[in-house]
Structures are given as C-alpha cells and as structure tokens.
Amino acid sequence: MASKHSVLERYSEGAQDRQPDLCCPVDYDSSLLALLPQEIIDKDYGCGDPSRYVRKGDIVLDLGAGSGKICYMAAQIVGKNGQVIGLDMNDDMLTLARKYQPEMESKLGDDRVKFVKGLIQDLTVDLEAMDKHLAEHPVTDSASLTHLQSWQVNQSKQMPLIKDNSIDLVVSNCVLNLVQDSEKNKMINEIFRVVKPGGRVAISDIISDEHVPDHLKADPTLWSGCISGALQEEEMLIAFVEAGFVAVSYDKWESEPWQVVEGIEFRSATITGIKPKEDPCLDVGHAVIYRGPYSKVYDDEGHVYPRGQRIATCQRSYELLIESVYREDFIGITPRKLKPEVNWCSPAGTLRPASETKGAIHKGDASNTTCC
Ligand SMILES: C[S@@+](CC[C@H](N)C(=O)[O-])C[C@H]1O[C@@H](n2cnc3c(N)ncnc32)[C@H](O)[C@@H]1O
C-alpha cells in the first residue's frame, strides 16, 4: 500500500500550486462561492458538495478541509450561532486555509471558522500540541519515545481535539479514501464518536464499483490522487452501518465515472447517515405506515415495515422515521393522548390496531416535515 508520505507531499504541492489532476468537476452553489477568495476556489480538490447538508446553527466538522472551501461555504449557512471546524494534517494546507481567515472573518462578521491540525483516523490527537511537545521533548531514544506515547495517551484522554458527541454534522470532501485501509474502520468509528446523538454525516468521496487490487493500491500516484484508496460501493455503506449510523444512504451518485483504471470505475458519491438518539425505546402509542412502493422495507435497526400496515413504534423510532431522510416513505400516527402506561417497545413488526389510534394525528405530507 502507498505510504502516508506521498499523500502529505501531494497535498503540500496542491497548497502551493493548483493541481489540475486532483480536480474533479463539482457543481457548487455559486451564491456561497461568491464570498470566497479566488485562490481557495482554485485549489479545490473535492469531488462533491457536502455543504448542501449544512443547517443554520450547526456545529460542523470538515474532515480533510484542505484550502477551507467547504468550511467557508458552510460558515455562511450555519450563521452566527453556528461554528465550523476544519481539520487537516497538512501544514501547508492549514497555512493556506488560515491565510484567508481575517478576510473571511470580516466578511462573515465573526470568527465562526477555525482550523485544527489532526488526523481523521484519530480525532483525539491535537497534532499542533504534539508538534510543540516534540520541539521541547524530541524523541531520541526508546525512553523519550515511551514518554511521547504516554503524553499522547494522556492528551487524548484529558484534552481530546474533538470531544465525544460534540458535532451536529460531520462533512468531508474526497478525503476518506486517502486513509490507509487498516485504519478506515477506526476512522469511521471516530466519526461516530464525535457526532451528537441525532446528529448527521454527509461524506462526498470516490467509490469503486469493484474491489481495488493490491497493485493499484501500491501505486502512490493513484493512491494520493484519490483513486486506489476508494472503498467499494457496498463496503462504504456497510462501514457506516457497522459503526452505528442509521438511515445510511447514497444521496448523490455520479453516473459518469471520474476515472476508469484497469476496467474499474471510480466515481464520486455522497453518503448520508444519522447517529441514533440514545433515548430509551418506550411505547407510548405511536404507529407508522410504510407507503410503498416495495412490499416491505427494513431499517438499519432491524425493524420491518410491510406496505400499508400500521406498525407500532417507540417514540424514538417514530421521530427518526418521520423527521429524517425516511420521512417521504412513511405516514406517522401520533395518538391524541399518549398512553399513560409506558411499556418497552414491541417486537419489530408488531401491528398497532386501528382501534387504538382513532382520532390520532396523521402526518402524511412529507413536504411539511423537517428535512435531514
Ligand atoms: C483531496 S484533498 C480534499 C481537500 C478539501 N476537502 C477540498 O474539498 O478541496 C484531501 C485533503 O485531506 C487531507 N488529508 C489526507 N489524509 C488525511 C488524514 N489522514 N487526516 C487529516 N487530513 C488528511 C490532505 O492534507 C488534503 O488537504
């Protein structure tokens, strides 16, 4: 597999001069680009537009922020009550993104964007603090290495760069593929750790239609060019589901591959998902009806919804189904009076008799609900 060093070198070059080979055409919202300095737009190495998923007031974390383009776009959407954190491991990229901070601060009216140095596969480590520590305590032998390792464990525990459950929306644009395969699961688990319960992810990345063979992964140009580190299209979704996200789906899918190498198609796609709330599963009388067109569907938590049947749900699942990405597929039924006796959620597929929900409030107009 190609070394991490080639990724550092390639993006240091990309911070100095525009690298046309790394640019994948993306249709961004031009009204958000209008405020951005031209150099940031030119040094765009993204493959999608996760800024489309940002909401007012969000705390957003952009993994592998590069020049800061998505951060500065997101900052316009989150408004003065939101915050945007851009994370990157590359000093040259961080210098480029930070160069425009004063200009953007005066355009936005405050300093709602900050950039931090870290690794997306371990969001606990503050690499700037580590650089400072290393300058004062260089590693010269095994004893100083042990000292560094215990400093790092302590720093990660006491002062994690990104805290647990602290982010409303994690975005990333063409970065996950650059992380070594052996660290990809750890990276997705880290994303899950930092997202608030009920929070979201929107990840634009390159995926492959077939598994990428080792000789392509070993090619440093293909790897650092966001090609051969791509996860296979099904593997990408499974990795997010296994980390604990629900409602995991491909929202954007480029029909034209960005590149084809040895017959393998590499294309840009955007995956979205939600970290479920930790509320207990209590049944207070809600039900949902799956509209169709399929005869039945399963969610990521193993519940089954046959078409047209009133299925009993706990309040937590109800909110997830009726207020998130699933909302267009379900009719929600809230009892006028919540059941006084609170029971644990019924087994998946339990029917709610119509006699129990007479006069209930039906939420059937998907366009009236809050978007994911
Ligand atoms: C293809 S560029 C994308 C930059 C930016 N997201 C954009 O849309 O223009 C990849 C960026 O991710 C950073 N990067 C790569 N691997 C990383 C890692 N393991 N941790 C943190 N940053 C990483 C690189 O330094 C580079 O800035």
Side-chain angles (χ1 to χ4, degrees), residues 334-347:
T334 307
R336 287 258 172 219
K337 246 178 109 189
L338 297 182
K339 281 203 299 193
E341 79 280 17
V342 170
N343 297 314
W344 289 103
C345 198
S346 320

Side-chain angles (χ1 to χ4, degrees), residues 36-78:
L36 270 55
Q38 193 55 44
E39 186 179 13
I40 290 201
I41 297 173
D42 290 345
K43 291 174 179 167
D44 166 20
Y45 304 124
C47 58
D49 181 11
S51 74
R52 296 187 308 116
Y53 304 87
V54 176
R55 295 183 196 153
K56 203 171 172 189
D58 273 348
I59 299 174
V60 178
L61 172 66
D62 181 11
L63 301 177
S67 68
K69 180 194 66 253
I70 295 294
C71 294
Y72 290 129
M73 290 167 79
Q76 298 170 57
I77 306 170
V78 299

Side-chain angles (χ1 to χ4, degrees), residues 7 11 28 43-47 62-67 69-70 87-90 93 118-121 172-175 178-179 226:
V7 174
Y11 291 98
Y28 293 109
K43 291 174 179 167
D44 166 20
Y45 304 124
C47 58
D62 181 11
L63 301 177
S67 68
K69 180 194 66 253
I70 295 294
L87 179 143
D88 208 287
M89 67 174 181
N90 186 304
M93 278 294 182
L119 292 172
I120 69 173
Q121 58 272 43
S172 185
N173 197 359
C174 219
V175 184
L178 293 169
V179 170
C226 296

Side-chain angles (χ1 to χ4, degrees), residues 262-273:
E262 295 187 4
I264 302 175
E265 295 186 357
F266 294 90
R267 60 168 44 75
S268 164
T270 299
I271 177 172
T272 56

